[in-house]
Amino acid sequence: MRAAFSPGPRRIELREVPAPVPAAGEVVVRVRNCGVCGSDLHWYLGAFPAPPVCPGHEIAGEVIAADAGVVNCGIGDRVAVEPLVVCRECAYCRTGDYQLCPHFAVLGTMRDGGFAEQVVVPAYALYRLPAELDFEVGALTEPTAVCVHAVRLARVSLGDRVLILGAGAIGLLSVLAARAAGATDIAITARHAHQGAMARRLGATRVFAATPPGQGELMDFASANPVDVVVETVGGSADTLNEAIASVRPGGTVAVLGVFTTPPACAALALVLKEVRLVGSLTYGRKGSRADFDVAMGILAAHREVVRDLITHRFALGAIANAFETAADKTRGAIKVTVAP
C-alpha cells in the first residue's frame, strides 16, 4: 500500500510499504479521510523533528480486517479513530485519564498513522460514526475532542464568558465546545478575515483582530467584561500565555492547548496576584461514563452542516505534498485541510 513519510522539513513523500496485519486486539482501518493538524505543521516547518513513522492522527475510515478476538466492531463498520495506544491497566487508564498513561503512544507520531491507505489500530480506539456523519466530518472528531477535553478541564459552565486565543481549527472548534458546555459569551482572536467570519458562524459573539490595535480592544473588553476562562490555542513562539493571564478575571482559569515551540514568557506575578488557575490540556480522556470522543461526536452531529465548512481544502493522498503546503499557508484561506486516500 501507499503511505506518506517525511524525510525532513517541508518534505513529505509517498512510499510503497507492506499492508498492515492486525495483532491481538487490533483492527485494520481503510483510511477514508485524515486531516492535517496544526501539530503536524510544527514538524513540517522544522520546529520539531519529523516523526519516524507515517504521520496523521485525525482519522476516519472503515474496518476491513480484525483479530479473531475483537468483539466490539465488525468488518465494514464506519469509525473515527482515537489515536492513543495505552496500557489500560495503570491507575490513569482505570480512572479515565488514559492520556496520562506512562505507556502512552500516539498514532502518527510514535506509531504509523493515517496518511496511508490503511492503518492498524487497537480495537478499543474505535468509535462508530453515526449515520449522519460522513468520513470528512467524522475525521474532525479528533480535533473536536481536544477542545472538549480542554473545556472540561477548564470547568466551563452555564453562563460563563470565554475568550479563545487563536482561530485555527482548534480555536474554532473550541467555540463549539464552549457553547456545548454552556458558555453564553464567547470572544475569539483571529489573524485572518476568513477565520473571524467562520468563528461568527460557529457562535462566537465577538471577534478581535490578532494585531496590536486588536489586542488593545481586547484588553478594554476584558476589563469591562470579566472573562471566566481563556483557552489558549496559538502556541508556537507567541506571547499568548501572557495575553491570557492579562485577559482573564481574578480567580479565573487559563487552559493551554497551543503547542509552544519555544519556552513562553509567563507573567508569574500577575498569575499569583490574580490567583489564576493555569491548566495544561493534553489530547482527550474520559469523565465518568462518557469519553471526550463521544461528546465531540455528538457536537459534530448537531452542527454537521456548518462544521463541514471548516474543511476548506481537499486533496488525494497522491497530492499530500500540496496538502501540507496549503495548510502551512493561511493566506490561501485554509482552515482545515484533509487528505482522502
Side-chain angles (χ1 to χ4, degrees), residues 193-214:
H194 69 276
Q195 295 172 327
M198 191 69 222
R200 290 192 181 281
R201 290 191 59 199
L202 292 169
T205 48
R206 292 171 174 82
V207 177
F208 296 94
T211 61

Side-chain angles (χ1 to χ4, degrees), residues 30-275:
R30 170 72 169 93
V31 180
R32 294 299 188 187
N33 200 270
C34 189
V36 179
C37 178
S39 60
D40 292 325
L41 295 179
H42 285 308
W43 57 256
Y44 177 72
L45 295 173
F48 294 140
V53 296
C54 173
H57 56 271
E58 300 180 1
I59 307 166
E62 55 190 331
V63 177
I64 60 171
D67 168 60
V70 170
V71 296
N72 68 316
C73 65
I75 305 302
D77 282 356
R78 301 166 61 256
V79 296
V81 176
E82 185 180 60
L84 304 185
V85 181
V86 296
C87 75
R88 307 187 79 201
E89 296 178 353
C90 69
Y92 294 111
C93 286
R94 293 197 306 270
T95 56
D97 286 326
Y98 47 82
Q99 77 283 3
L100 301 177
C101 173
H103 305 288
F104 168 96
V106 183
L107 301 182
T109 301
M110 306 162 191
R111 299 195 182 189
D112 286 330
F115 290 130
E117 293 175 338
Q118 300 173 26
V119 63
V120 64
V121 303
Y124 59 75
L126 300 182
Y127 290 78
R128 286 189 181 88
L129 290 174
E132 61 268 29
L133 290 187
D134 60 21
F135 293 122
E136 275 195 350
V137 177
L140 292 174
T141 306
E142 193 278 340
T144 306
V146 168
C147 305
V148 167
H149 187 66
V151 164
R152 173 164 69 83
L153 293 182
R155 302 173 188 167
V156 174
S157 59
L158 186 64
D160 277 352
R161 178 175 290 116
V162 174
L163 166 65
I164 298 165
L165 299 180
I170 292 295
L172 292 169
L173 288 168
S174 292
V175 174
L176 286 182
R179 283 180 58 191
T184 52
D185 193 0
I186 303 172
I188 191 169
T189 63
R191 185 171 299 278
H192 301 285
H194 69 276
Q195 295 172 327
M198 191 69 222
R200 290 192 181 281
R201 290 191 59 199
L202 292 169
T205 48
R206 292 171 174 82
V207 177
F208 296 94
T211 61
Q215 187 176 38
E217 294 172 4
L218 171 58
M219 291 301 110
D220 291 341
F221 165 78
S223 177
N225 303 274
V227 175
D228 301 292
V229 174
V230 179
V231 180
E232 192 287 325
T233 75
V234 179
S237 59
D239 192 35
T240 42
L241 182 56
N242 276 339
E243 187 176 2
I245 294 169
S247 303
V248 75
R249 66 167 173 80
T253 299
V254 172
V256 180
L257 265 179
V259 177
F260 284 93
T261 55
T262 58
C266 176
L269 181 59
L271 186 79
V272 170
L273 294 178
K274 294 173 72 173
E275 291 194 351

